[in-house]
Amino acid sequence: MAVSTSIPPLGLGTFGRTGPEGIEAISTALEIGYRHLDTAQSYDTEATVGEAVRRAGLKREEVFITTKVADTRLAPADFMPSVRRSLDTIGVNQVDLLLIHWPVPEETVPFESYMSALKEAQDAGHARLIGVSNFTIALLERAEKLLGKGALATNQVEIHPWLQVPKLRDYARGAGLQLTAYQPLVKGQVASDPVLVGIAKELGSNPAAVALAFLMAEGHIVIPASASRTNLVSNWAATTITLTPEHMDAIRRLDRGYRHINPTKSPRWDD
Ligand SMILES: NC(=O)c1ccc[n+]([C@@H]2O[C@H](COP(=O)([O-])OP(=O)(O)OC[C@H]3O[C@@H](n4cnc5c(N)ncnc54)[C@H](OP(=O)(O)O)[C@@H]3O)[C@@H](O)[C@H]2O)c1
């Protein structure tokens, strides 16, 4: 099977999916058809992701696996050992996508140092694709200067109908960089949005799936999380929903700059 260079548009977020229950939920997702799993060193789900993929009996190249280097492991002495440890924990020779989880505040580790280490990890064969997470336009511009255009496969950031990040979205479109929408359901909160509820009723779908369909139609990759089979199934069905231009406009109007994840280490967001 040829190795795809693209990222499957709908993946499974694995935050919280630890232990036997985590393996169970990830296994259910793989059974439903999910082929893209998003983990991170800091989630403690690298092992459950690896175990679920092995139990599913899928070939390694059939599942797209992303992991992220924690912001506490970006110093030169820590970076590469942490990546090798991630590969061991997942039980693979290479991940499909390796991300910098958060930029380092105050640059206590120099930006050039950890971005170069990310590229070295790719050159060493530890990652097929590389990218970043929680990066602003200014940081993306610096990354492009350092590593060249097209070096990064994605920037994973918080995006959902209530936070549509128009400045970052327009920059990314111009730069040919795909955005991955994390926490695309705002922990399930968007499912109660009246506009999404109305569109879902009209389409015989459900509001969370409509939100995911909207984000994918905007060109984003989405990585919703769920431990429930019912929600995993309905989220997966988002790939089959076609929204009209009127639906798209109505959901675009829901943007209210509502940011749910904003720890003190956050960079100065663009929008
Ligand atoms: N890069 C970063 O800094 C970063 C930050 C945050 C998250 N992430 C990634 O993004 C993934 C997703 O984010 P998240 O897990 O925080 O939040 P999320 O996907 O927005 O929401 C997950 C929550 O929504 C509920 N839910 C799922 N499907 C639903 C549906 N169809 N209807 C109603 N409720 C539904 C789930 O409950 P049930 O389990 O009951 O279905 C769960 O409580 C994470 O797992 C992680 O991989 C990355």
Side-chain angles (χ1 to χ4, degrees), residues 15 38 43 133-134 156 183 185 187 223 225-227 231 235:
F15 181 80
D38 181 82
Y43 299 170
S133 179
N134 297 301
Q156 183 181 123
Q183 206 159 100
L185 304 176
K187 290 280 180 198
I223 48 168
S226 176
N231 286 344
N235 294 346

Side-chain angles (χ1 to χ4, degrees), residues 12-17 38-39 43 68 99 101-102 133-134 156-158 181-189 191 206-209 212 223-228 230-232 234-235 260-261:
L12 178 75
T14 69
F15 181 80
R17 302 287 91 82
D38 181 82
T39 180
Y43 299 170
K68 316 184 190 82
L99 305 180
H101 204 152
W102 285 88
S133 179
N134 297 301
Q156 183 181 123
V157 286
E158 182 178 346
Y182 77 58
Q183 206 159 100
L185 304 176
V186 206
K187 290 280 180 198
Q189 289 181 56
N206 78 75
L212 297 173
I223 48 168
S226 176
S228 123
T230 308
N231 286 344
L232 284 169
S234 64
N235 294 346
H260 190 241
I261 295 194

Side-chain angles (χ1 to χ4, degrees), residues 208-220:
V210 169
L212 297 173
F214 166 76
L215 296 171
M216 287 189 279
E218 287 286 80
H220 307 319

Side-chain angles (χ1 to χ4, degrees), residues 28-261:
T28 303
L30 290 171
E31 188 194 311
I32 291 165
Y34 289 73
R35 291 292 181 269
H36 167 183
L37 305 175
D38 181 82
T39 180
Q41 292 175 348
S42 62
Y43 299 170
D44 198 21
T45 58
E46 291 180 322
T48 50
V49 160
E51 185 56 25
V53 171
R54 279 188 294 280
R55 287 192 192 178
L58 293 163
K59 291 197 194 109
R60 169 65 192 93
E61 65 270 23
E62 289 179 287
V63 186
F64 188 100
I65 301 176
T66 302
T67 197
K68 316 184 190 82
V69 183
D71 53 306
T72 50
R73 298 194 180 129
L74 296 180
D78 303 329
F79 194 108
M80 216 56 91
S82 86
V83 173
R84 290 197 201 99
R85 210 161 38 243
S86 286
L87 297 180
D88 280 353
T89 308
I90 302 168
V92 293
N93 297 322
Q94 183 186 59
V95 286
D96 296 282
L97 178 61
L98 182 70
L99 305 180
I100 301 291
H101 204 152
W102 285 88
V104 179
E106 315 293 340
E107 300 212 23
T108 48
V109 177
F111 179 83
E112 285 70 19
S113 151
Y114 63 82
M115 290 306 293
S116 300
L118 179 68
K119 181 73 177 75
E120 279 161 31
Q122 183 182 34
D123 292 343
H126 299 330
R128 200 155 58 76
L129 303 171
I130 54 172
V132 293
S133 179
N134 297 301
F135 269 37
T136 58
I137 295 170
L139 291 172
L140 291 169
E141 284 173 341
R142 280 176 73 184
E144 184 177 310
K145 243 188 201 158
L146 184 71
L147 302 180
K149 201 173 167 59
L152 300 180
T154 193
N155 180 24
Q156 183 181 123
V157 286
E158 182 178 346
I159 306 182
H160 43 72
W162 298 339
L163 180 71
Q164 297 185 29
V165 296
K167 284 187 197 150
L168 179 62
R169 178 198 62 205
D170 292 350
Y171 168 82
R173 281 181 184 156
L177 175 74
Q178 251 196 316
L179 297 178
T180 300
Y182 77 58
Q183 206 159 100
L185 304 176
V186 206
K187 290 280 180 198
Q189 289 181 56
V190 293
S192 61
D193 187 286
V195 171
L196 299 175
V197 170
I199 295 172
K201 270 196 189 130
E202 191 188 319
L203 299 178
S205 175
N206 78 75
V210 169
L212 297 173
F214 166 76
L215 296 171
M216 287 189 279
E218 287 286 80
H220 307 319
I221 295 151
V222 293
I223 48 168
S226 176
S228 123
R229 178 179 281 271
T230 308
N231 286 344
L232 284 169
V233 168
S234 64
N235 294 346
W236 181 245
T239 52
T240 63
I241 295 175
T242 306
L243 298 169
T244 64
E246 291 72 28
H247 294 146
M248 293 296 290
D249 282 344
I251 303 173
R252 281 191 193 107
R253 285 195 291 272
L254 296 179
D255 184 19
R256 60 178 89 143
Y258 174 76
R259 187 176 292 282
H260 190 241
I261 295 194

